[in-house]
Amino acid sequence: MRCMQCGQAIAEGEKYTHAGKELCEDCYLEAVSVPKTCDPLSVRAARVDRERKGARGEEGLLPIQKNILNYIKEKQRVTREEVAERFNLTPRELEKHFAVLRHCELAKGNKVGDKVYLTPF
Ligand SMILES: [Zn+2]
C-alpha cells in the first residue's frame, strides 16, 4: 500500500493511521506535530514531489488545513467550536491545524469580548 499523503510505498507494519488516513511514519509524525516552519510537508515530501519544493503559504498545507482556511475565509469570523464541529475535529487536532495556519500567517485568532474568533490573517 501507499502513504495517502506523500504516495510512497509503506510496509504493512509501518503503517500509521491518522484522521482517517493511512500514512508513512514521516507523514504521521508531521501530521501530529506542529511544524516549526511554514512548510508542513517538509523535506521528505518535497523530494517525492519536486513541484512542492519551495512551496509557500497555502501550497504547503494539508488538505484539511486548506479546508479550514477556506471555511474561515468564507465565514470571515468563526469560533473554534464551529470549525471543530464542521470538520469533526477534536480541540487538539483543531489547535494543531490552526497553529499551522497562524504560523503561515493565513489565519489568526481575534479576541472579541470574551470570545476568540478565527479570522483570515
Ligand atoms: Zn508519507
Side-chain angles (χ1 to χ4, degrees):
M1 67 155 301
R2 290 183 177 277
C3 169
M4 290 170 75
Q5 182 67 39
C6 70
Q8 85 154 351
I10 348 175
E12 189 59 31
E14 288 164 9
K15 187 177 79 180
Y16 291 78
T17 304
H18 176 71
K21 283 180 161 186
E22 292 177 337
L23 304 174
C24 68
E25 187 178 22
D26 285 16
C27 292
Y28 175 74
L29 291 177
E30 277 168 25
V32 296
S33 67
V34 176
K36 291 179 181 62
T37 71
C38 199
D39 184 358
L41 292 173
S42 96
V43 183
R44 157 77 75 98
R47 201 168 61 211
V48 171
D49 179 0
R50 293 184 63 189
E51 285 187 3
R52 287 221 172 98
K53 202 174 172 188
R56 290 287 177 274
E58 290 187 45
E59 291 310 302
L61 296 178
L62 297 173
I64 178 68
Q65 291 160 355
K66 283 188 186 173
N67 290 342
I68 293 171
L69 179 63
N70 286 336
Y71 184 65
I72 294 173
K73 281 179 173 169
E74 189 186 306
K75 298 275 181 182
Q76 286 298 305
R77 202 171 84 162
V78 292
T79 60
R80 281 177 159 77
E81 291 74 23
E82 284 174 316
V83 178
E85 196 179 292
R86 170 75 174 75
F87 295 100
N88 201 18
L89 297 170
T90 65
R92 198 161 164 253
E93 285 172 328
L94 171 61
E95 226 20 75
K96 193 181 66 200
H97 293 312
F98 181 63
V100 175
L101 297 178
R102 193 172 48 207
H103 185 89
C104 298
E105 301 191 337
L106 295 167
K108 61 185 176 179
N110 245 339
K111 203 161 188 250
V112 180
D114 58 356
K115 277 193 143 184
V116 177
Y117 293 94
L118 310 183
T119 65
F121 195 83

